[in-house]
Amino acid sequence: MLASLTSIATLMLSTLLMMTGYGMMNYMLPIRAVAEGWSTLTISMIATGYTFGFTSSCIITPYLVQRVGHVRVFSALITLLTVSILLCALMVDWRAWTVFRALSGFAMAGSYLIIESWLNERVQNEHRGAVFSVYMIACLVGSIGGQYIVPFGDVTSLTLFMVCALIFSSAIFPTALSSAQSPSPLGQARFDLLKLYRRSPIAFIGSLLSGALSGTWSSLGAVYTQNIGLSTMEGATLLAAVLAGGALAQMPIGKISDRMDRRKVMVAAGVFGVLCCGMMIVMGGLSALALYICGFFVGTVLYPVYSLNVAHANDLAEPTEYVTLSSAIMILYGLGTVTGPLISGSIMENAGPDGLLYSLALSFALYAAYAGWRMRRRSGDTPDKGAFQASSLPMQGTEGVSALMNDQPPAGDGRPAA
């Protein structure tokens, strides 16, 4: 386990810096939009620019990696993030911001895809759940740190935009200057939604719903804090509470799902999410502390559901399918982030700030219901995690990715769909 983490240390540092800039940008821009007097629906439409770029990147980035390699593409995408935030500072217009957010969405999705395919090459299957949890923790901790930078500046000035750009640009250095071996260039880059559905229908539908969940909160969470009257620091604390919940829950949920049918964990996460959203609606008006506590528990399932989808798909994938399925998951996730903010923005226009929580509860309910339905439909074809690890199936790590690079057929038999 320690050797696996050491091999990806510089990648995790770049991820941490990138997500610090992302957290700052994602909190700063909605607050600036509210200060400009733009409506919730307009802000949600700006978010669709981000999701358009996000989804497009899932298709285009694998081909770029195939041509020039992981490190060069990652550096280019981080540069694009820097450019996008500087452009937002130079031209404050919601139509222009929609385009600039598309640039940042393209860069973020590409970066996620590169990082996750990089991890799949470096990590063996027995440590996959734990390492991906560390990766998600780095993402969430970086986001929390970035959000807390915003209250120390003025969102209507240029300073915060410049600081955010500096943080983004610094994320290039750890991987660019690392002496660690770079991943092999991709021998094949494509996505296959039908293959993902055949391997894991739950990961297919779950990716859409996890995109709706995280897209809704990421795009409109800061707007929610402003509309209920929180200060910038209080709003950062609420967003941090949600992220902290996700960060702290990653490892326990990952370990639990490694030891039992992941679909049961998915059902439990969805039901718990509905209950927590309800509690946040009822208890949130009592005090800021009550709001933070409720937000923390919402976060414990809001972010980990994505990791459950990825892990479930990887459990059932052939070694040569990792990048293909990862691309498909990211595309579906991107499509989910389109619908989430638009639906939630419309609900918030009519139902007020709590409309955001109604939308989240609906997505959680659908997630739990579909996972439960799949369990009833196919109750016996997902192997016990202990038996799966002890089987003769090949390791889902460096060996599997090496086969992909050389266009070799996968070892072992196919796996059943869940």
Side-chain angles (χ1 to χ4, degrees), residues 169-193:
S169 61
S170 67
I172 296 175
F173 294 107
T175 53
L177 300 178
S178 173
S179 60
Q181 181 181 0
S182 299
S184 303
L186 298 181
Q188 180 179 347
R190 60 189 177 89
F191 68 94
D192 191 333
L193 297 178

Side-chain angles (χ1 to χ4, degrees), residues 137 140-141 144 241-253 296 299-300 304:
I137 289 171
L140 296 171
V141 169
I144 291 174
V242 175
L243 289 169
L248 294 176
Q250 284 291 334
M251 193 70 75
I253 288 179
F296 173 88
T300 60

Side-chain angles (χ1 to χ4, degrees), residues 290-331:
L291 193 63
Y292 301 154
I293 294 173
C294 292
F296 173 88
F297 285 109
V298 169
T300 60
V301 285
L302 191 149
Y303 293 105
V305 293
Y306 173 78
S307 298
L308 290 174
N309 297 329
V310 173
H312 192 267
N314 283 339
D315 286 342
L316 303 171
E318 296 290 349
T320 57
E321 295 172 344
Y322 294 140
V323 175
T324 299
L325 297 187
S326 179
S327 297
I329 287 174
M330 295 294 282
I331 288 171

Side-chain angles (χ1 to χ4, degrees), residues 182-223:
S182 299
S184 303
L186 298 181
Q188 180 179 347
R190 60 189 177 89
F191 68 94
D192 191 333
L193 297 178
L194 183 59
K195 179 173 289 186
L196 174 63
Y197 185 79
R198 287 173 175 169
R199 288 297 185 198
S200 175
I202 292 179
F204 186 99
I205 300 299
S207 296
L208 287 168
L209 292 173
S210 64
L213 285 165
S214 62
T216 292
W217 184 255
S218 297
S219 299
L220 299 174
V223 177

